[in-house]
Amino acid sequence: MVDDTSKMAEINRLKAPLKYDGLKVYDANGNQVNCIETLSGLKFIVEPNSHILNDEEILEYAPNSKEASKIRLKRGVGSNSDVMLINDSLYWILGLYYTILICIAIPVFYTGNRMGMFLILILAILPLLYLYYIFNLKQYKDANAKKQTNKSRFSTPEIQKDMPKEGLKSLKKYADEVEDLKVIFDSKEIAVRDLIEKCFEPPQITYDRFMTTIDKSHDLFYHEADSALNITQLAVEDTPRVKNELNTKINTLKSIIDHIEDLINELVINLSSDDKSSEDVKNLADDMENLIDSVKEYN
């Protein structure tokens, strides 16, 4: 039985911003966070301790982790992106495999060795069969697992039990766009935190203010992203109202990213300037705080 103190400590570790030391990244406890390299970019994801948190808590506090992906797949509500996250190194292994295979195949085909050609063909097909196997989402499903998605203030588990796992096909483009924006935001967040530390070494009031603003931006971004994804999964019709709500949330996500990009540009300029109290930088922080407040009022 895990006590509440251990759970709170683990939750705080997952929610705390990452610490950057050169090319290495650490969590709040000083543990190094491994970089996950996917086809869409680089990610630093703090993995939860499954022995401390239950499935619901992992989905709530570490929704982008490999553990959360395994839970979603087990419940039958996972997607190909979850499979890709779990097997993040697979594509590079396959790339190396086929490179070596091609190097072997060239002399075999050149000499016309039929037995060798047949063997090369078999070796070329085997990885494709394995890919078909791992992307078969049904094989991950646990019949005894609860059929519900990420537990959050937006989800309604009772409704989700009867909803299609993939949501409406007509809304898939919105879900894909949200996922793409999440990747962009993660990379921008890493860059802006690194620049803030370089421009305003802690402890400084300015440093604390900027980091607090970025923390709020992170929470708001994933608040809106999770809400949008839930709409794409739960909506039974792609009505104009549903599409309008999705467009509004996606525009909010883009606006947050744009503000962070502007801040990154100003910090880069500020870093090379003698004036470390640039008014433009402070104004951008004000703009980000105003954006956060306006979205909260809308919600």
Side-chain angles (χ1 to χ4, degrees), residues 89-104:
S89 61
L90 177 63
Y91 296 97
W92 311 116
I93 294 173
L94 286 177
L96 179 61
Y97 176 87
Y98 278 110
T99 299
I100 296 173
L101 188 62
I102 289 172
C103 292
I104 298 173

Side-chain angles (χ1 to χ4, degrees), residues 161-203:
K161 289 180 181 178
D162 300 323
M163 291 298 105
K165 296 170 187 175
E166 298 294 333
L168 295 173
K169 290 184 178 180
S170 57
L171 298 181
K172 187 178 184 299
K173 63 178 181 179
Y174 294 99
D176 291 342
E177 186 171 5
V178 171
E179 293 293 348
D180 290 341
L181 290 172
K182 284 166 68 175
V183 173
I184 295 172
F185 176 82
D186 288 344
S187 64
K188 300 297 181 185
E189 184 183 10
I190 290 172
V192 76
R193 288 185 184 277
D194 186 43
L195 283 169
I196 290 171
E197 288 192 355
K198 290 180 179 178
C199 289
F200 314 102
E201 292 184 6

